[in-house]
mmCIF file of all heavy atoms in Angstrom:
data_model
loop_
_atom_site.group_PDB
_atom_site.id
_atom_site.type_symbol
_atom_site.label_atom_id
_atom_site.label_comp_id
_atom_site.label_asym_id
_atom_site.label_seq_id
_atom_site.Cartn_x
_atom_site.Cartn_y
_atom_site.Cartn_z
ATOM 1 N N ALA G 433 125.832 89.298 130.815
ATOM 2 C CA ALA G 433 124.447 89.383 130.359
ATOM 3 C C ALA G 433 124.108 90.824 129.980
ATOM 4 O O ALA G 433 123.435 91.104 128.963
ATOM 5 C CB ALA G 433 123.505 88.887 131.408
ATOM 6 N N TRP G 434 124.609 91.774 130.806
ATOM 7 C CA TRP G 434 124.414 93.190 130.467
ATOM 8 C C TRP G 434 125.069 93.522 129.144
ATOM 9 O O TRP G 434 124.501 94.209 128.314
ATOM 10 C CB TRP G 434 125.039 94.079 131.574
ATOM 11 C CG TRP G 434 124.050 94.460 132.615
ATOM 12 C CD1 TRP G 434 124.051 94.008 133.923
ATOM 13 C CD2 TRP G 434 122.903 95.311 132.503
ATOM 14 N NE1 TRP G 434 122.991 94.550 134.616
ATOM 15 C CE2 TRP G 434 122.274 95.345 133.768
ATOM 16 C CE3 TRP G 434 122.340 96.035 131.442
ATOM 17 C CZ2 TRP G 434 121.120 96.109 134.000
ATOM 18 C CZ3 TRP G 434 121.203 96.792 131.664
ATOM 19 C CH2 TRP G 434 120.614 96.797 132.944
ATOM 20 N N TRP G 435 126.317 93.027 128.964
ATOM 21 C CA TRP G 435 127.039 93.312 127.725
ATOM 22 C C TRP G 435 126.226 92.800 126.534
ATOM 23 O O TRP G 435 125.984 93.501 125.565
ATOM 24 C CB TRP G 435 128.402 92.637 127.786
ATOM 25 C CG TRP G 435 129.343 93.098 126.714
ATOM 26 C CD1 TRP G 435 129.021 93.623 125.489
ATOM 27 C CD2 TRP G 435 130.787 93.097 126.766
ATOM 28 N NE1 TRP G 435 130.137 93.942 124.786
ATOM 29 C CE2 TRP G 435 131.242 93.621 125.511
ATOM 30 C CE3 TRP G 435 131.716 92.658 127.694
ATOM 31 C CZ2 TRP G 435 132.601 93.732 125.236
ATOM 32 C CZ3 TRP G 435 133.062 92.781 127.388
ATOM 33 C CH2 TRP G 435 133.495 93.310 126.179
ATOM 34 N N SER G 436 125.781 91.553 126.657
ATOM 35 C CA SER G 436 125.016 90.953 125.556
ATOM 36 C C SER G 436 123.738 91.719 125.301
ATOM 37 O O SER G 436 123.365 91.990 124.149
ATOM 38 C CB SER G 436 124.721 89.492 125.916
ATOM 39 O OG SER G 436 123.839 88.966 124.978
ATOM 40 N N PHE G 437 123.045 92.098 126.408
ATOM 41 C CA PHE G 437 121.775 92.782 126.233
ATOM 42 C C PHE G 437 121.982 94.169 125.600
ATOM 43 O O PHE G 437 121.266 94.574 124.654
ATOM 44 C CB PHE G 437 121.085 92.929 127.578
ATOM 45 C CG PHE G 437 119.866 93.796 127.565
ATOM 46 C CD1 PHE G 437 118.863 93.563 126.647
ATOM 47 C CD2 PHE G 437 119.710 94.873 128.444
ATOM 48 C CE1 PHE G 437 117.732 94.384 126.566
ATOM 49 C CE2 PHE G 437 118.599 95.678 128.391
ATOM 50 C CZ PHE G 437 117.599 95.446 127.438
ATOM 51 N N MET G 438 122.951 94.913 126.087
ATOM 52 C CA MET G 438 123.161 96.239 125.556
ATOM 53 C C MET G 438 123.615 96.235 124.088
ATOM 54 O O MET G 438 123.420 97.183 123.362
ATOM 55 C CB MET G 438 124.173 97.022 126.419
ATOM 56 C CG MET G 438 123.672 97.328 127.818
ATOM 57 S SD MET G 438 121.980 97.974 127.872
ATOM 58 C CE MET G 438 122.227 99.673 127.434
ATOM 59 N N SER G 439 124.223 95.134 123.700
ATOM 60 C CA SER G 439 124.711 95.048 122.327
ATOM 61 C C SER G 439 123.582 95.157 121.301
ATOM 62 O O SER G 439 123.811 95.460 120.134
ATOM 63 C CB SER G 439 125.453 93.763 122.089
ATOM 64 O OG SER G 439 126.573 93.687 122.945
ATOM 65 N N ILE G 440 122.351 94.875 121.741
ATOM 66 C CA ILE G 440 121.230 94.961 120.792
ATOM 67 C C ILE G 440 121.126 96.371 120.209
ATOM 68 O O ILE G 440 120.784 96.528 119.043
ATOM 69 C CB ILE G 440 119.893 94.578 121.422
ATOM 70 C CG1 ILE G 440 118.804 94.480 120.347
ATOM 71 C CG2 ILE G 440 119.420 95.594 122.419
ATOM 72 C CD1 ILE G 440 118.391 93.156 120.031
ATOM 73 N N TRP G 441 121.494 97.384 121.003
ATOM 74 C CA TRP G 441 121.417 98.729 120.481
ATOM 75 C C TRP G 441 122.428 98.948 119.381
ATOM 76 O O TRP G 441 122.130 99.613 118.368
ATOM 77 C CB TRP G 441 121.590 99.749 121.628
ATOM 78 C CG TRP G 441 120.597 99.533 122.692
ATOM 79 C CD1 TRP G 441 120.821 98.992 123.939
ATOM 80 C CD2 TRP G 441 119.189 99.776 122.620
ATOM 81 N NE1 TRP G 441 119.624 98.898 124.617
ATOM 82 C CE2 TRP G 441 118.623 99.377 123.857
ATOM 83 C CE3 TRP G 441 118.337 100.278 121.620
ATOM 84 C CZ2 TRP G 441 117.248 99.459 124.102
ATOM 85 C CZ3 TRP G 441 116.983 100.391 121.901
ATOM 86 C CH2 TRP G 441 116.475 99.953 123.116
ATOM 87 N N VAL G 442 123.612 98.411 119.582
ATOM 88 C CA VAL G 442 124.642 98.541 118.563
ATOM 89 C C VAL G 442 124.215 97.799 117.294
ATOM 90 O O VAL G 442 124.294 98.353 116.202
ATOM 91 C CB VAL G 442 125.986 97.941 119.098
ATOM 92 C CG1 VAL G 442 127.088 98.179 118.080
ATOM 93 C CG2 VAL G 442 126.352 98.562 120.425
ATOM 94 N N VAL G 443 123.700 96.580 117.480
ATOM 95 C CA VAL G 443 123.306 95.795 116.330
ATOM 96 C C VAL G 443 122.159 96.459 115.606
ATOM 97 O O VAL G 443 122.165 96.562 114.351
ATOM 98 C CB VAL G 443 122.935 94.374 116.776
ATOM 99 C CG1 VAL G 443 122.334 93.585 115.612
ATOM 100 C CG2 VAL G 443 124.126 93.632 117.324
ATOM 101 N N THR G 444 121.166 96.911 116.359
ATOM 102 C CA THR G 444 120.006 97.548 115.722
ATOM 103 C C THR G 444 120.405 98.788 114.990
ATOM 104 O O THR G 444 119.919 99.063 113.900
ATOM 105 C CB THR G 444 118.936 97.906 116.781
ATOM 106 O OG1 THR G 444 118.689 96.736 117.550
ATOM 107 C CG2 THR G 444 117.665 98.362 116.140
ATOM 108 N N PHE G 445 121.353 99.547 115.554
ATOM 109 C CA PHE G 445 121.771 100.766 114.859
ATOM 110 C C PHE G 445 122.454 100.389 113.567
ATOM 111 O O PHE G 445 122.231 101.048 112.554
ATOM 112 C CB PHE G 445 122.652 101.629 115.740
ATOM 113 C CG PHE G 445 122.779 103.024 115.193
ATOM 114 C CD1 PHE G 445 121.786 103.955 115.480
ATOM 115 C CD2 PHE G 445 123.819 103.387 114.350
ATOM 116 C CE1 PHE G 445 121.871 105.221 114.946
ATOM 117 C CE2 PHE G 445 123.888 104.657 113.835
ATOM 118 C CZ PHE G 445 122.931 105.595 114.120
ATOM 119 N N CYS G 446 123.249 99.345 113.624
ATOM 120 C CA CYS G 446 123.965 98.913 112.394
ATOM 121 C C CYS G 446 122.959 98.465 111.373
ATOM 122 O O CYS G 446 123.076 98.787 110.191
ATOM 123 C CB CYS G 446 124.931 97.784 112.764
ATOM 124 S SG CYS G 446 125.798 97.118 111.334
ATOM 125 N N PHE G 447 121.994 97.660 111.787
ATOM 126 C CA PHE G 447 121.023 97.082 110.875
ATOM 127 C C PHE G 447 120.066 98.156 110.325
ATOM 128 O O PHE G 447 119.822 98.245 109.140
ATOM 129 C CB PHE G 447 120.269 95.971 111.633
ATOM 130 C CG PHE G 447 119.036 95.433 110.955
ATOM 131 C CD1 PHE G 447 118.923 95.394 109.576
ATOM 132 C CD2 PHE G 447 117.994 94.909 111.716
ATOM 133 C CE1 PHE G 447 117.789 94.873 108.943
ATOM 134 C CE2 PHE G 447 116.880 94.392 111.107
ATOM 135 C CZ PHE G 447 116.768 94.384 109.724
#
Side-chain angles (χ1 to χ4, degrees):
Chain G
W434 268 110
W435 193 335
S436 171
F437 172 53
M438 293 314 281
S439 299
I440 188 107
W441 302 107
V442 183
V443 173
T444 308
F445 196 83
C446 177
F447 168 30

